[in-house]
């Protein structure tokens, strides 16, 4: 078998896999089952002792929306989730912030209005490169 990654590459990839697994709340055995590999194979991926198969990277994307580029070469420790250009981690942050602020203010929105607000906030976060509490407060003030 031809290897394309160095030992250091494999160790870093293993750290990203462990981070992803933790974020998903799964055990190593559950991840192995999801990727259709032996538990020992998955454990070796996480330890950096084995180069990950392309089919496993594909399955991580298909099953868990993990960004394949992040899995293979991500610089950030936190998992990146993307599907069709959508940063799912950032979308989750937008949803969580809207829900928390609505609960705190005891306000409610119709499902359509809430979805539109979340999308507006997500797009702002994506353009700004992260969360913006002041914008969330302003947008919520206008919507509610």
């Amino acid at each position: 078998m031809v290897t394309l990654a160095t030992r250091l590459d494999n160790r870093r990839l293993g750290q990203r896999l462990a981070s992803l697994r933790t974020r998903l709340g799964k055990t190593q055995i559950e991840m192995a089952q999801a990727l259709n590999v032996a538990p020992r194979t998955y454990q070796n991926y996480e330890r950096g002792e084995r180069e990950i198969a392309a089919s496993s990277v594909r399955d991580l994307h298909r099953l868990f929306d993990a960004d394949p580029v992040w899995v293979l070469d991500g610089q950030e420790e936190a998992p990146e989730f993307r599907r069709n250009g959508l940063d799912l981690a950032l979308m989750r942050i937008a949803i969580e912030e809207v829900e928390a602020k609505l609960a705190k203010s005891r306000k409610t929105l119709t499902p359509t209005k809430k979805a539109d607000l979340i999308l507006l906030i997500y797009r702002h976060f994506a353009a700004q490169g992260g969360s913006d509490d002041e914008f969330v407060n302003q947008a919520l003030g206008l919507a509610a």
Side-chain angles (χ1 to χ4, degrees):
M1 176 159 129
V2 175
T3 59
L4 301 174
T6 67
R7 285 180 179 255
L8 181 59
D9 291 335
N10 286 338
R11 279 197 301 273
R12 288 180 178 155
L13 184 136
Q15 290 169 341
R16 288 189 295 277
L17 285 178
S19 175
L20 174 65
R21 178 178 55 78
T22 301
R23 175 78 183 260
L24 294 170
K26 300 214 174 279
T27 66
Q28 288 182 332
I29 291 173
E30 290 169 329
M31 290 297 285
Q33 289 170 341
L35 299 176
N36 200 29
V37 298
R40 183 74 163 170
T41 299
Y42 182 80
Q43 290 166 348
N44 286 338
Y45 288 163
E46 275 198 16
R47 282 195 298 267
E49 295 175 2
R50 182 173 181 160
E51 189 169 331
I52 193 166
S55 59
S56 292
V57 175
R58 180 196 63 224
D59 290 343
L60 287 168
H61 174 65
R62 288 182 179 168
L63 297 170
F64 305 114
D65 298 322
D67 180 5
V69 174
W70 175 82
V71 170
L72 293 171
D73 197 36
Q75 301 302 311
E76 300 294 322
E77 185 174 315
E80 291 187 20
F81 300 92
R82 295 185 193 280
R83 173 133 315 167
N84 299 327
L86 184 68
D87 182 337
L88 296 178
L90 196 57
M91 177 61 84
R92 286 183 182 107
I93 291 169
I95 292 168
E96 289 168 0
E97 288 198 20
V98 167
E99 291 294 343
K101 291 194 184 295
L102 283 173
K104 186 176 180 181
S105 67
R106 296 187 176 132
K107 295 180 181 180
T108 59
L109 296 173
T110 65
T112 302
K113 206 169 195 178
K114 187 188 289 187
D116 289 343
L117 177 64
I118 290 169
L119 184 57
L120 172 73
I121 290 170
Y122 165 79
R123 287 181 175 156
H124 178 78
F125 285 3
Q128 296 299 311
S131 181
D132 180 347
D133 196 53
E134 184 177 331
F135 182 83
V136 174
N137 288 332
Q138 291 173 351
L140 188 58
L142 293 172

